Amino acid sequence: MMKAINKIRSSKALVMIVWVLGILVIWEIFAFVVVATKRTPENVLPHIWQIIGSFFDPKPVANGMSCTQIVLVNAGQTLSRAGQGFLIGTIVGFLLAILMKLSRIVEKIAAPYLMLIQLIPILGMAPIILAMTHDIGSSRIIIAAILTFYPVATNTLAGLNSVEKAKYELLYSYAAKKTTIYFKMLIPSCIPYFFTGLKIAAPMAITASILVDTLQGDGGLGCMLSQSLKHAMSIYVFWDIVVFSAVIGVLSCSLMGWIENLISPLKRVERKAKKKEAS
Amino acid sequence: MSETNAYNPKKNIEIAINNVSVVFKDNKGNDVKALDNVDFDIHKGEFISLLGPSGCGKTTLLRTIADLLEPTSGNVRVSGMTPKEIRLMQKFGIVFQSPVLFEWRTVKKNIELPLEIMGYSKKDSSDRADEMLEIVGLTKFANHYPQQLSGGMQQRVGIARAFGIRPEILLMDEPFSALDEFTKEKLHLDLLRIWEKTNKTIVFVTHNIQEAVFLSNRICVLSPPPGRLSAVVDVDLPYPRTTDMRDTPHFGELVSKVRNSFEGGSL
């Protein structure tokens, strides 16, 4: 009995359920207040069941498509661009981190730009990129790449710099070459940090891509979002996109965690240890 | 000092430490002497301990041998060559105070690491690693990751890795100081067993008098401040050494002899 209770208490899933329930309850409390006080409550905060219902409502809301169809069709556009940008940003970020580690000069030059990119608001940068490329698709990719690249580069660099002195001295004593030091020591030890960067970057790339959509009327989740807000189509398209992007954002982050678990022996060991503890 | 220089001239000298001084700069830019004109020789195949309290410069001395540090004056010669030349010939094995294992590599892969660096074939490094695992008694843990092992076992992996390359000279920097007494006594026996098998030169840094007496042929006693060689003590206990020897009166005499050789009398 005691064991069962402990198991429940240490269960990650349970914590998650309580946490989600908490959000739902607070949402509903406000939804009821809004229904009682506002003239068009669905524009402010609809009930959760209304949003869920709209996902399953086959009634066309625009261009002969239902809410769900609109979300999915446009999500394809936005997410594929976000994915491409994420991939490019990851590669560039990782390589830059290695270059910064290799050369103090590169680090000195790149560090202020990295800071700068982080400081410029994405909403300010997006129109400039769009004006330069004249293409919403490539703008999405570029913005997603820029946003990805920063957390990946800084986290990877932190990982490269976290290697303790004794490990260097060990390889030094074996007269290891520089390439050996990188491939056998520095790169493997920065992998957990690299994945921390990916976990931060993945939802950001998606958010960025949606934001860039809103700049032009060529489709994409952000575009539908703003049209729905302007009442060009059912407001539930807006709510469905909000819920959908939130779920995709969380999933993108857990996908990175899943990949990390798959490739990292360290994680496998940790998992085994946890399982042992639990049983 | 004259006693040191006159010591056992017939033996084959492996490491010659010639009037080595090391001066560091502290935060304020003042000179701090870490080693002051240390001069003695280490013989081939010998187990020698560098003994002294914290801050006596024993680790600094080890680092000058390992080419991790340049002496400010004087020099170190290993088989007539500079430490750097010996290091580039990959003849050093090093064991640090912490095991310094690569967390993402299994125990066996950790032992293979220096062999990979030295360009051994996959099969050769695997065979050598198996052999070393056998010697340190970790065969069953070959495919474990370091963090699944106890501190003592991790340090054994570090020792296996250092011996695996069959180094000419093994440099050990307080390798057992973080371990409990029981583990330490067991590892002492393990280390001596491996040493007797391989007959390599071991330079062993420690602040533990009993440890130094139990393990070594000779003990270099360093005193602070600054790091000066105050005595070289011969340990005439026969090998193979056994744990019982720790309780003999002669062991006690040697311990007090070493203790009394610190400058400024007993500690």
Side-chain angles (χ1 to χ4, degrees):
Chain A
M1 185 61 197
M2 208 47 212
K3 215 171 172 183
I5 291 172
N6 273 336
K7 206 166 184 178
I8 292 170
R9 263 167 66 186
S10 65
S11 151
K12 236 180 174 173
L14 192 83
V15 174
M16 189 76 181
I17 290 169
V18 170
W19 200 75
V20 171
L21 273 180
I23 292 181
L24 294 183
V25 167
I26 293 167
W27 181 300
E28 279 303 315
I29 290 170
F30 279 97
F32 275 109
V33 172
V34 167
V35 167
T37 53
K38 302 280 179 188
R39 219 152 45 84
T40 50
E42 67 273 18
N43 287 1
V44 185
L45 198 71
H47 287 296
I48 290 159
W49 61 81
Q50 287 176 309
I51 298 173
I52 294 171
S54 71
F55 271 114
F56 296 103
D57 193 350
K59 199 175 71 188
V61 291
N63 304 329
M65 288 192 288
S66 71
C67 276
T68 308
Q69 278 171 320
I70 290 178
V71 172
L72 291 181
V73 167
N74 288 286
Q77 250 182 57
T78 303
L79 293 181
S80 71
R81 300 283 158 55
Q84 288 172 51
F86 179 70
L87 207 65
I88 294 169
T90 300
I91 294 166
V92 174
F94 183 80
L95 291 180
L96 184 77
I98 300 274
L99 278 177
M100 284 169 86
K101 181 72 192 169
L102 271 169
S103 146
R104 273 225 94 82
I105 300 167
V106 174
E107 189 184 354
K108 280 252 158 70
I109 293 171
Y113 287 105
L114 272 172
M115 282 297 278
L116 212 64
I117 285 173
Q118 184 65 353
L119 289 173
I120 299 171
I122 178 75
L123 271 174
M125 198 155 39
I128 301 170
I129 303 279
L130 183 59
M132 272 155 54
T133 59
H134 299 294
D135 176 41
I136 193 79
S138 10
S139 302
R140 281 192 198 112
I141 295 174
I142 292 168
I143 295 285
I146 289 173
L147 277 189
T148 303
F149 138 95
Y150 178 80
V152 171
T154 48
N155 278 287
T156 307
L157 186 62
L160 293 172
N161 287 333
S162 73
V163 178
E164 72 241 67
K165 207 174 134 212
K167 280 191 179 136
Y168 279 99
E169 291 184 344
L170 184 78
L171 291 196
Y172 179 82
S173 75
Y174 296 132
K177 288 200 266 323
K178 205 164 190 176
T179 46
T180 311
I181 293 173
Y182 271 81
F183 284 108
K184 293 209 188 290
M185 180 179 80
L186 286 170
I187 291 175
S189 43
C190 80
I191 293 299
Y193 292 78
F194 170 68
F195 271 100
T196 304
L198 290 188
K199 283 178 207 163
I200 299 168
M204 278 171 80
I206 294 170
T207 312
S209 211
I210 294 172
L211 267 173
V212 176
D213 286 342
T214 62
L215 297 179
Q216 238 179 28
D218 297 357
L221 285 177
C223 176
M224 294 303 122
L225 201 83
S226 63
Q227 282 189 21
S228 167
L229 275 177
K230 290 176 199 146
H231 305 295
M233 60 180 76
S234 160
I235 189 68
Y236 283 103
V237 172
F238 168 79
W239 290 110
D240 288 357
I241 289 174
V242 168
V243 171
F244 179 80
S245 349
V247 170
I248 290 292
V250 172
L251 284 182
S252 69
C253 182
S254 18
L255 177 70
M256 294 306 127
W258 184 77
I259 295 174
E260 185 183 10
N261 280 338
L262 204 67
I263 65 164
S264 151
L266 276 180
K267 288 278 168 183
R268 275 204 296 275
V269 173
E270 275 167 28
R271 254 200 332 265
K272 249 193 216 157
K274 253 186 207 154
K275 249 188 210 160
K276 228 184 213 170
E277 231 169 71
S279 64
Chain B
M1 210 50 103
S2 59
E3 182 200 8
T4 337
N5 288 336
Y7 186 81
N8 222 344
K10 273 175 268 170
K11 276 207 177 174
N12 203 347
I13 293 168
E14 172 115 77
I15 306 172
I17 292 155
N18 304 317
N19 297 310
V20 165
S21 294
V22 172
V23 180
F24 291 122
K25 286 246 186 277
D26 70 2
N27 302 334
K28 289 170 195 154
N30 301 323
D31 287 349
V32 181
K33 240 183 188 159
L35 285 176
D36 186 13
N37 222 12
V38 174
D39 192 285
F40 70 101
D41 296 328
I42 296 171
H43 306 134
K44 213 174 183 71
E46 160 171 72
F47 196 129
I48 196 160
S49 285
L50 309 179
L51 175 73
S54 306
C56 72
K58 55 194 189 298
T59 296
T60 307
L61 184 55
L62 187 85
R63 294 174 73 84
T64 60
I65 300 173
D67 186 37
L68 288 166
L69 191 74
E70 259 319 293
T72 313
S73 68
N75 64 51
V76 177
R77 287 288 174 270
V78 183
S79 316
M81 285 183 273
T82 63
K84 185 174 182 180
E85 285 166 327
I86 296 291
R87 177 176 67 80
L88 293 176
M89 288 159 78
Q90 300 170 315
K91 286 190 171 176
F92 285 131
I94 293 198
V95 180
F96 295 96
Q97 187 172 352
S98 63
V100 198
L101 300 176
F102 287 19
E103 303 86 352
W104 57 91
R105 282 172 167 255
T106 60
V107 165
K108 189 175 170 187
K109 284 271 167 202
N110 264 290
I111 299 174
E112 286 178 16
L113 174 77
L115 300 166
E116 285 171 22
I117 293 172
M118 292 168 75
Y120 280 65
S121 74
K122 263 209 158 70
K123 190 182 171 301
D124 287 351
S125 17
S126 173
D127 290 350
R128 183 73 66 83
D130 285 335
E131 181 192 328
M132 292 317 298
L133 281 166
E134 179 85 48
I135 291 174
V136 297
L138 288 174
T139 305
K140 270 197 283 181
F141 297 92
N143 294 318
H144 280 58
Y145 284 89
Q147 53 275 49
Q148 295 171 295
L149 268 52
S150 68
M153 285 156 92
Q154 289 184 9
Q155 199 55 279
R156 252 145 72 193
V157 178
I159 292 168
R161 177 181 59 196
F163 273 102
I165 63 167
R166 307 221 168 119
E168 289 303 311
I169 294 152
L170 198 78
L171 306 168
M172 305 182 87
D173 188 6
E174 302 192 32
F176 305 139
S177 62
L179 304 176
D180 64 79
E181 281 307 310
F182 299 97
T183 315
K184 202 186 283 188
E185 287 194 3
K186 182 171 181 329
L187 287 183
H188 285 160
L189 294 173
D190 286 346
L191 177 61
L192 285 178
R193 195 162 43 82
I194 303 171
W195 172 64
E196 279 162 45
K197 236 182 234 175
T198 56
N199 245 324
K200 301 300 179 193
T201 309
I202 296 184
V203 185
F204 188 96
V205 166
T206 179
H207 56 240
N208 185 321
I209 300 175
Q210 278 83 3
E211 184 172 69
V213 170
F214 186 73
L215 293 172
S216 332
N217 290 125
R218 283 195 303 156
I219 301 171
C220 292
V221 180
L222 291 152
S223 297
R228 268 173 307 159
L229 182 65
S230 40
V232 178
V233 178
D234 274 304
V235 182
D236 50 7
L237 293 168
Y239 291 96
R241 293 190 179 161
T242 58
T243 306
D244 304 340
M245 287 184 189
R246 293 179 192 267
D247 305 323
T248 60
H250 188 51
F251 190 87
E253 280 162 25
L254 284 165
V255 168
S256 28
K257 186 177 171 194
V258 171
R259 186 177 289 125
N260 290 329
S261 67
F262 279 101
E263 259 167 52
S266 63
L267 291 176

